[in-house]
Amino acid sequence: MKKVMAIMLCVAFVFSCTGCSEVEIEHFDKSVYKDMSGVVNFDESVNITIDPENLANAVIEIQDELSQLEKQDNDKYAPEGENYIYPADEDAEMFVNEFLSAIRIALDENKMFTLEVDVKGAADFDNMISDENIICRFNNISIDCGNGYMRGDKIFINKKLFYTIGSINFMYDIEILGEYYKALDEMFGDNEYVVMSYENVGGYLGNTNFASSIIDSTNVLQKAQLDYYEQAKDILKNFDSECVTRIENGTRFQLKSSDFANAGNRFASYVRQHSESVSKLVNDYVSIIMAASMSIYGDEMNGMEYLFDNMNVTGDDIIAAMDGLKEMINSPEFSIIFKTLDITYTNDITEKDNSQNNVTVIKGSYNNKKAFSIETNINITNTESYEFADISNENGIEYMEFFEKLNSLQNDLMYGEYNYSLNSSYECPDCGQSFKYIDTHYCNKCGFVHDFYEGDENCDRQPGCELAKEATQIAA
């Protein structure tokens, strides 16, 4: 677990704060809006486009090449083993057609999957407040998801989000959708918002060794994240990714499919030499995650501290993680995937007049045709003033309280009487006794993975077994 976490966080560094050259420092300072101040208007969009047929064909070719690679390894160590039988072209074509038919409801008129999220509004960087409106577009259908507001260490989420995007799971059944709306009506009452609060982050960070100098600041989480960025930049000050260049009106960070292995190798070697500093940074960042989680979830995090305590990353863990990263990116499997899909990552940051444009594109192609793309486009324009909404008198539902009710509601509607929440005890319908949740794992009795409760063998009725039994009866 520590090795995986270390790899993920270290790789994140190279996309957020790498480089010693002037152009790299300029690029990554702008990417985190380090020097941004005053009031701005922003227009942000995230577009996901997938050509499922082309992507499916690419996956089939990748699987064939991986299988051939496995066969070569088997022949090397077990020459008399069975030969791999490749699927016939007609079998692959049938698979793709069946796949496209199964997901047709999620595709547009051109049989493409498209999802777009647009966020428009304004932000005051000096006071850490923002107003935003969220629009989702799914295959040309637009959904107004309401507004969101950040006020220092609180985020207010409009209830409309849960009446729109939150209802997608129940669109197939009008009766269930009606029950979902009625339950939301009761949960919200006269409230318009769900409130996520980070007010206690400073207190929780105060119990760790992380950035004690920022504990008294108003917006602890935001300042902690900037401190994390500065630490990472200092560690990487002698590393040049060789991936940042100047373009018209700005800079570009780009990794082509053939560049990932080389850049990854150099990065892993550099981080390996600074393992102790990197381990401190990783542990500091975990402290942020822990403090933010405890601030939001409160008592629900009781007893979870030991997980983070046991995840303390050492310099040796970083070295092992970088060795693992090198092994992965130099493997033939990695080469097959990146070469077949021609995966590229590009981040352009340009400025003109009073505006900044930040565009990130992750793209994969197959047979010179786009298989998938994820594009984020952020436009920020300086403005002299903006009339932010007055929500000083708004009383919203506390996030954790709402989350528990929503989770229970969704499980009830989806699974009915066979819903057993992980957040509460299980009351046996036969004997009426209440049993405390222990964990979830494989059950030798029914052959399924399900919830286990303390002492519920007393009445010989495991909830998971009952659910598995019912599923078997329906299937029969």
Side-chain angles (χ1 to χ4, degrees), residues 194-241:
V194 174
V195 183
M196 298 178 66
S197 175
Y198 297 93
E199 290 177 315
N200 298 318
V201 170
Y204 291 119
L205 280 176
N207 295 324
T208 72
N209 294 321
F210 174 70
S212 58
S213 61
I214 68 171
I215 297 304
D216 294 330
S217 65
T218 302
N219 303 299
V220 175
L221 187 61
Q222 288 80 10
K223 293 185 181 299
Q225 290 172 325
L226 284 176
D227 187 83
Y228 146 74
Y229 168 73
E230 292 296 336
Q231 287 185 58
K233 191 168 68 172
D234 183 63
I235 293 172
L236 295 169
K237 63 185 177 182
N238 294 316
F239 175 75
D240 191 334
S241 70

Side-chain angles (χ1 to χ4, degrees), residues 171-405:
M171 294 296 289
Y172 64 91
D173 191 313
I174 297 300
E175 183 178 349
I176 293 181
L177 181 60
E179 292 181 20
Y180 175 72
Y181 282 157
K182 289 178 182 178
L184 286 182
D185 292 341
E186 294 179 5
M187 291 163 61
F188 278 103
D190 296 330
N191 294 300
E192 288 291 322
Y193 303 98
V194 174
V195 183
M196 298 178 66
S197 175
Y198 297 93
E199 290 177 315
N200 298 318
V201 170
Y204 291 119
L205 280 176
N207 295 324
T208 72
N209 294 321
F210 174 70
S212 58
S213 61
I214 68 171
I215 297 304
D216 294 330
S217 65
T218 302
N219 303 299
V220 175
L221 187 61
Q222 288 80 10
K223 293 185 181 299
Q225 290 172 325
L226 284 176
D227 187 83
Y228 146 74
Y229 168 73
E230 292 296 336
Q231 287 185 58
K233 191 168 68 172
D234 183 63
I235 293 172
L236 295 169
K237 63 185 177 182
N238 294 316
F239 175 75
D240 191 334
S241 70
E242 301 177 1
C243 298
V244 180
T245 57
R246 292 201 178 276
I247 58 176
E248 185 178 0
N249 298 323
T251 54
R252 167 178 291 172
F253 176 89
Q254 185 175 50
L255 278 171
K256 298 180 181 179
S257 182
S258 57
D259 298 332
F260 278 88
N262 177 50
N265 276 319
R266 292 190 302 104
F267 177 73
S269 296
Y270 181 91
V271 169
R272 214 176 178 280
Q273 296 171 17
H274 299 78
S275 57
E276 293 301 325
S277 298
V278 173
S279 67
K280 180 182 182 304
L281 174 57
V282 170
N283 290 325
D284 284 350
Y285 192 66
V286 170
S287 295
I288 296 177
I289 297 173
M290 179 63 182
S293 299
M294 294 187 71
S295 182
I296 296 174
Y297 297 107
D299 293 341
E300 292 298 319
M301 291 293 293
N302 289 343
M304 298 291 288
E305 296 93 332
Y306 77 94
L307 290 177
F308 290 87
D309 291 340
N310 293 332
M311 287 170 63
N312 185 62
V313 176
T314 67
D316 289 339
D317 292 327
I318 295 297
I319 291 174
M322 291 303 96
D323 289 344
L325 176 62
K326 277 190 169 185
E327 182 179 356
M328 178 182 70
I329 61 180
N330 290 305
S331 67
E333 291 84 359
F334 185 91
S335 177
I336 288 171
I337 294 172
F338 273 70
K339 183 178 179 180
T340 303
L341 276 171
D342 190 22
I343 298 173
T344 60
Y345 177 99
T346 305
N347 175 224
D348 288 350
I349 302 178
T350 56
E351 292 183 327
K352 189 174 182 180
D353 299 328
N354 291 322
S355 298
Q356 181 185 113
N357 181 235
N358 188 327
V359 180
T360 301
V361 180
I362 303 173
K363 184 171 63 175
S365 302
Y366 179 66
N367 286 339
N368 298 317
K369 182 180 178 183
K370 181 167 65 178
F372 70 86
S373 71
I374 304 171
E375 179 176 338
T376 302
N377 192 325
I378 306 173
N379 286 294
I380 295 179
T381 304
N382 294 324
T383 183
E384 292 185 359
S385 63
Y386 182 88
E387 187 175 348
F388 290 94
D390 181 9
I391 58 172
S392 57
N393 296 321
E394 294 291 347
N395 293 317
I397 304 175
E398 190 271 327
Y399 174 77
M400 193 57 215
E401 174 189 348
F402 174 76
F403 177 79
E404 289 180 349
K405 291 180 179 179

Side-chain angles (χ1 to χ4, degrees), residues 115-135:
L115 174 65
E116 180 180 352
V117 180
D118 289 336
V119 181
K120 292 181 173 65
D124 183 339
F125 281 94
D126 296 331
N127 297 300
M128 293 310 298
I129 65 175
S130 70
D131 289 8
E132 57 187 47
N133 175 254
I134 306 169
I135 301 290

